[in-house]
Each structure stands twice: as structure tokens, then as C-alpha cells.
Amino acid sequence: MKNKTIDSVIKNTWQAIARMYNEEASKYGATMALGYALLNIDKEGTPSTALAPRLGMEATSLTRTLKTMEEKELILKKKNPKDGRGVNIYLTELGIQKRALSKDTVLKFNDKLLETFSQQEIDNFIEMSEKIQELISSKKIY
């Protein structure tokens, strides 16, 4: 294709962001997926069943991520007190520290984008992204 398609621009941009985050995370023996998971675990604990939808992950990928996080002593699993069949995920002290590091990394990138682009450009980008998601979720394309 001579011209770039919108989806290829989105894909290439996301891949560049993922590489950037993985490069930064590797300095701390982590990955972007691990950092993202840390950011989505509430300090009061999170049911494991709530994590997959938050992270947009399949159950098998989440299981591997949680196993790695447990091995790195970033999380603890405890029975859900409200539902004995389920498990809640809690951050350890190390997990809380790594969560703060992940948050700082994301906010630093966000701040750089806010410095680089005008508010109008950011608003336009968000509006367009939301409309694309709406088109996809409403099945109005195929």
C-alpha cells in the first residue's frame, strides 16, 4: 500500500509505546504487562476474575502473569472472604513499591505528551479513539 492506513498507524504507535515501556521495565527486571497488572490491582485487593477484563487479557495469559508476579514476590493470593471459590490478589510491600515505579513511568510519558501536543490535538485524538472503539464494539464495520 502506498498510503498508510489508520489501523497501521495505530498498531505501529502502540508497538512503539510497548517497546518503550518494556525497555524501561527491563531496567527493573519487569515487563510492561507486569507493570500494567500492578497498576490494576487495588491496594485493598482485587478479585482475580476482575483482573482479566481490566487488563484486556485472556485467562491463560493472566495466569502466567500472576504466576510470575507471585514468583517475584509482588503479589499474594488469598481466598476471597465473600466468595470462597474465588481468589483475591494483594500487593506485597515490594509490589507496592514497583506499582509506584510503574505509575511514575506512565505519568512521565503522559506529561511528555501533554508538553508536546496542544490540548486541542489531545482532545481530537481521544475523540477519534473513542469513536473507533465505539464503531468496533457496536459491530458497525463488519
Side-chain angles (χ1 to χ4, degrees), residues 106-120:
V106 169
L107 291 176
K108 184 177 181 180
F109 178 56
N110 194 65
D111 288 346
K112 190 62 174 177
L113 295 177
L114 291 172
E115 285 174 19
T116 304
F117 298 101
S118 71
Q119 189 59 53
Q120 185 63 50

Side-chain angles (χ1 to χ4, degrees), residues 77-93:
K77 293 180 182 176
K78 295 181 185 176
K79 262 191 170 181
N80 185 331
K82 296 177 183 172
D83 179 0
R85 299 169 295 171
V87 175
N88 281 357
I89 309 297
Y90 297 88
L91 296 173
T92 62
E93 284 301 316

Side-chain angles (χ1 to χ4, degrees), residues 26-39:
S26 72
K27 295 175 185 175
Y28 305 98
T31 63
M32 181 186 78
L34 225 111
Y36 193 52
L38 287 169
L39 291 170

Side-chain angles (χ1 to χ4, degrees), residues 11-110:
K11 180 179 80 72
N12 292 336
T13 301
W14 175 247
Q15 287 176 334
I17 292 169
R19 275 192 307 274
M20 174 193 69
Y21 278 143
N22 275 317
E23 187 177 305
E24 188 63 23
S26 72
K27 295 175 185 175
Y28 305 98
T31 63
M32 181 186 78
L34 225 111
Y36 193 52
L38 287 169
L39 291 170
N40 282 280
I41 297 172
D42 299 327
K43 291 180 183 175
E44 316 78 46
T46 301
S48 59
T49 53
L51 274 178
R54 282 187 191 181
L55 298 171
M57 289 178 124
E58 295 296 324
T60 52
S61 297
L62 177 62
T63 300
R64 281 193 304 271
T65 300
L66 292 177
K67 185 176 191 287
T68 300
M69 293 173 79
E70 230 178 341
E71 289 168 356
K72 292 181 177 275
E73 299 181 349
L74 300 171
I75 61 166
L76 294 171
K77 293 180 182 176
K78 295 181 185 176
K79 262 191 170 181
N80 185 331
K82 296 177 183 172
D83 179 0
R85 299 169 295 171
V87 175
N88 281 357
I89 309 297
Y90 297 88
L91 296 173
T92 62
E93 284 301 316
L94 180 59
I96 291 168
Q97 291 170 14
K98 297 292 185 180
R99 183 182 199 274
L101 188 58
S102 296
K103 184 178 177 181
D104 288 345
T105 301
V106 169
L107 291 176
K108 184 177 181 180
F109 178 56
N110 194 65

